[in-house]
Amino acid sequence: MSTARPSPSLRRRAAGTLLPGFSGTTIPAWVLQAYDDGLAGLCLYGDNVASPAQLRQLCAQLRAHAPHALLAVDEEGGDVTRLHYPTGSDEPGNAVLGRLDDTALTRASAAAIGAELASCGINLNLAPVADVNSAPDNPVIGVRSFGGDPALVARHCAAWVAGLESTGVASCTKHFPGHGDTTVDSHLGLPRVDATAQVLHRRELAPFNAIARACGAAIMTSHIIVEALDPHHPATFSPTILQGVLRTRMGYQGTIITDALDMAGASAEIGIPEAAVRALEAGADLLCLGSGTTAGLYQACLEAIVHAVESERIPETRLDDAAQRCARLARRFPATIPAPNATSRTCASAPDPMVEGLADAFEIGAAATAWLALPVPAAIIQVDTEANMAVGHVPWGPAAAHATTAEPDIPQGAKVAVVARGLQPGHPAHGVLQRLRDTGHSAILVECGWPRAAADIVTFGGSRAVGTALAQLLHASPSAPAPAARKRVRP
């Protein structure tokens, strides 16, 4: 192997496969230098967003420096939001959309998200989620999924991609080949899917086949072991899965993007630079490094790729193919330059969430129907519940809509709804519910997530839009019709 310094061309092509993040709300100098040296793009995360004005200024600064690069976010709508990280999302989220099963509404929701992203100069959205949520206790997918029916998930994913890309923003359907049948969060460990090949093709792969046929701009890999496809490598590091299944069998020609390589499922044992090399070697094109990327980590990943090519571990043609696919993605979806004084829902001081009809997606049991009919004032208590790392610390439920009451302030004789998410035996909401009942209140339990345990109302999401719709339902006059009464069967 030559000991000569790698050519600028090789380093530039390697940089053209990288998608780092950064910490804080201002752009580090190393990011701007990396753009000058060929960086493919940048991913924004929740901790990069402090306010609408700050976000717009940050995006404008990035676009002024790199007008043609990729600028990405995870803006799924619903529980996972980045643009609305300080307030909660105005969009209902996938599980609610799946329950309503109106593909025109799904397309419109995605188009609204796309228009908002485009107005900020963001041209790549790491969404939608195409996972079929077949494990009710899945700790990281849940309401991010359109549901448990592969055909429903496939048609809503296709509608979501069409709506988003109609605004000039690239989609990235995730998490290939399917993260729905897992009980481990890949942020924290390495999940395994034990389904047979027949089940995988009928269930997990069906939505991705739909996206491949529709020529969706990008597909994201998952850090999971799928026994029937490759029992030895996580999908992100598997040539069998990325090149054999996705490229050859499914005929997909778009960009393959990794899930964040700082997740434990990818790098806990090998480190992020080696994870980047393995992913590129396996067939991934754009390597998402994660939210806390530093200048040192970025350089380590860049050097690792350069070394892998120079040592012939990775063929130079593989690097060229990846860099070219990333460049084509940026050309296909050119970014707009944010106008300093433009307004959108992101920069509006008091955006109006889309809530009409959302309660039709709720599951309402008999006890809740009786509670809603009680002719007494209603109060809402929200029990805080830690979310998974994909969601982060985002306001949710009726609290995001400023519609809750502190327990000591509940009027005597009021009926009370106790709202939580991730309800399981031992959840503190059960204790709050019993305490209220012991003091004479008529109280019900509301799940703002995927149903796991008994609850009187299940909303299938916790976005601010859903929280507003829930608050309107709970505070409605007893004489008003309960819009969700016909939605009592879980999918």
Side-chain angles (χ1 to χ4, degrees), residues 179-423:
H179 206 316
D181 191 30
T182 60
T183 56
V184 173
D185 184 345
S186 52
H187 292 86
L188 307 174
L190 181 59
R192 305 184 80 91
V193 174
D194 298 323
T196 65
Q198 291 79 5
V199 170
L200 286 171
H201 288 287
R202 173 179 54 81
R203 187 178 65 188
E204 272 75 13
L205 294 179
F208 294 100
N209 267 310
I211 297 305
R213 290 193 300 270
C215 301
I219 285 178
M220 178 180 284
T221 70
S222 60
H223 313 318
I224 62 174
I225 294 281
V226 183
E227 293 279 354
L229 300 180
D230 186 340
H232 306 296
H233 304 97
T236 299
F237 305 148
S238 172
T240 300
I241 292 175
L242 300 189
Q243 297 182 41
V245 177
L246 185 54
R247 289 284 188 223
T248 302
R249 191 183 309 171
M250 296 172 66
Y252 182 67
Q253 293 304 311
T255 306
I256 299 176
I257 304 177
T258 71
D259 206 345
L261 295 175
D262 63 347
M263 295 165 62
S267 60
E269 296 184 1
I270 60 175
I272 298 172
E274 174 62 16
V277 170
R278 293 189 187 187
L280 184 64
E281 185 178 22
D285 305 310
L286 185 58
L287 313 176
C288 182
L289 303 184
S291 60
T293 311
T294 62
L297 175 59
Y298 171 75
Q299 287 298 327
C301 293
L302 183 62
E303 296 295 341
I305 292 171
V306 168
H307 176 72
V309 174
E310 288 187 320
S311 65
E312 300 182 353
R313 175 181 173 183
I314 295 179
E316 194 164 351
T317 53
R318 168 80 275 269
L319 175 63
D320 289 343
D321 178 58
Q324 288 166 11
R325 289 181 187 275
C326 295
R328 282 199 299 270
L329 180 64
R331 288 195 301 270
R332 181 182 168 192
F333 294 91
T336 56
I337 306 299
N341 299 319
T343 59
S344 68
R345 288 185 306 158
T346 304
C347 54
S349 58
D352 294 322
M354 188 277 286
V355 299
E356 184 179 354
L358 294 189
D360 286 345
F362 298 172
E363 178 184 281
I364 298 182
T369 300
W371 183 95
L372 289 167
L374 291 174
V376 297
I380 304 172
I381 289 179
Q382 185 163 309
V383 180
D384 197 22
T385 307
E386 185 176 354
N388 61 58
M389 293 178 69
V391 174
H393 302 288
V394 178
W396 62 278
H402 308 290
T404 56
T405 301
E407 188 174 348
D409 298 330
I410 296 173
Q412 187 174 2
K415 58 184 180 182
V416 186
V418 179
V419 177
R421 59 183 177 182
L423 284 170

